[in-house]
């Protein structure tokens, strides 16, 4: 086992998918999948997190700000001596984050962009005006070493918002501890539409991440599933 493992944050993935398992349309256009009750739940768990993470595909498709929305939740964070928003993190090997992206400008708080050695130094210099730039890996962001780094700067609880490519890599690296899946009451369809764990996928059944269902709750017009990930070295 990597000796830094205990330092890595506790990671929970939160996603909303249609009844046919799609995160967005085949054009990667954002869709409102869940309702107001789920929106409040997501805001709540976000406000309890030290950091929130997305992949560059999500920044380019949705331009999210990832701020806490509810004023009471914001105040609770500030009263507890924390920043108004969790640390906002983009996984972005080639530093493609637009300099005018909402995540860099909306709301106070720290931002980190994880890049690789393949990123254009001129672009990283530009982005460093708005975010800490952390180089991890040669071609693609090395998630294991980046998560070790997050442990060293005190990130204990990390919420991952997507998208499917990043989530697929996190499962492949064994970095996910919990998964919240809100299933909405619509069919999006399309074989090219993003799903919760895209990317390479797993070939051998022995490699499939195994989940333990902790809870299933009706929410809005859909259902919320809360899963724990069974760790290979610590079967629950
Ligand atoms: P993504 O997962 O947000 O980002 C993927 C990108 O991250 C990769 O293409 C890669 O680009 C970068 N990356 C860097 N290092 C990586 C690594 N080690 N492993 C994996 N990726 C790495 O993008 P996406 O899959 O295209 O998902 C975006 C779609 O998901 C959008 O349509 C959005 O609307 C949807 N979405 C839905 C939800 C939901 O809950 N319904 C939530 C979020 C997003 P580089 O190599 O260039 O860096």
């Amino acid at each position: 086992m990597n000796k830094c493992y205990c330092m890595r944050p506790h990671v929970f993935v939160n996603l909303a998918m249609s009844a046919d398992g799609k995160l967005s349309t085949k054009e990667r256009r954002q869709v409102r999948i869940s309702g107001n009750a789920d929106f409040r739940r997501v805001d709540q768990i976000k406000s309890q997190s030290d950091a929130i993470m997305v992949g560059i595909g999500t920044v380019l498709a949705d331009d999210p700000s990832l701020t806490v929305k509810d004023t009471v939740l914001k105040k609770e964070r500030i009263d507890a001596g924390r920043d108004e928003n969790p640390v906002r993190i983009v996984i972005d090997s080639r530093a493609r984050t637009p300099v005018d992206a909402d995540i860099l400008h909306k709301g106070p708080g720290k931002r980190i962009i994880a890049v690789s050695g393949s990123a254009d130094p001129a672009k990283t210099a530009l982005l460093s005006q708005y975010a800490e730039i952390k180089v991890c890996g040669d071609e693609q962001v090395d998630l294991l070493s980046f998560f070790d780094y997050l442990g060293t700067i005190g990130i204990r609880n990390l919420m991952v918002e997507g998208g499917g490519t990043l989530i697929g890599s996190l499962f492949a690296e064994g970095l996910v501890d919990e998964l919240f899946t809100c299933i909405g009451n619509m069919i999006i369809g399309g074989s090219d539409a993003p799903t919760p764990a895209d990317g390479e996928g797993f070939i051998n059944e022995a490699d499939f991440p195994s989940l333990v269902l902790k809870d299933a709750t009706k929410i809005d017009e859909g259902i919320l599933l809360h899963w724990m990930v069974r760790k290979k070295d610590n079967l629950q």
Side-chain angles (χ1 to χ4, degrees), residues 61-192:
D62 302 350
D63 194 19
S65 68
L66 304 181
T67 52
V68 175
K69 304 296 186 288
D70 185 89
T71 48
V72 174
L73 294 175
K74 287 186 207 188
K75 185 170 180 306
E76 280 174 7
R77 282 187 64 95
I78 293 163
D79 289 349
R82 309 171 89 185
D83 282 342
E84 183 175 298
N85 296 295
V87 178
R88 287 168 280 170
I89 301 171
V90 185
I91 302 296
D92 179 13
S93 312
R94 291 172 283 158
R96 291 185 290 148
T97 302
V99 285
D100 61 351
D102 279 356
I103 199 167
L104 300 180
H105 299 281
K106 287 202 171 161
K110 182 178 166 73
R111 287 93 167 162
I112 303 174
I113 303 178
V115 302
S116 73
S118 66
D120 175 1
K123 184 72 189 298
T124 54
L126 207 55
L127 290 171
S128 68
Q129 296 174 50
Y130 309 103
E132 175 190 333
I133 306 295
K134 180 70 184 169
V135 183
C136 279
D138 298 329
E139 291 301 317
Q140 236 196 357
V141 175
D142 178 339
L143 295 171
L144 290 173
S145 65
F146 181 60
F147 277 53
D148 284 343
Y149 170 69
L150 293 179
T152 67
I153 61 167
I155 304 295
R156 297 283 169 262
N157 286 293
L158 171 64
M159 174 173 178
V160 177
E161 273 254 319
T165 307
L166 175 61
I167 296 170
S169 289
L170 293 174
F171 272 113
E173 298 283 15
L175 288 168
V176 182
D177 298 293
E178 291 182 69
L179 171 65
F180 292 90
T181 310
C182 181
I183 304 175
N185 63 332
M186 77 285 293
I187 303 291
I188 295 177
S191 51
D192 294 334

Side-chain angles (χ1 to χ4, degrees), residues 48-62:
Q48 291 163 352
S49 304
D50 296 323
I52 179 165
M53 173 182 287
V54 287
I56 180 62
T58 298
V59 171
L60 295 175
D62 302 350

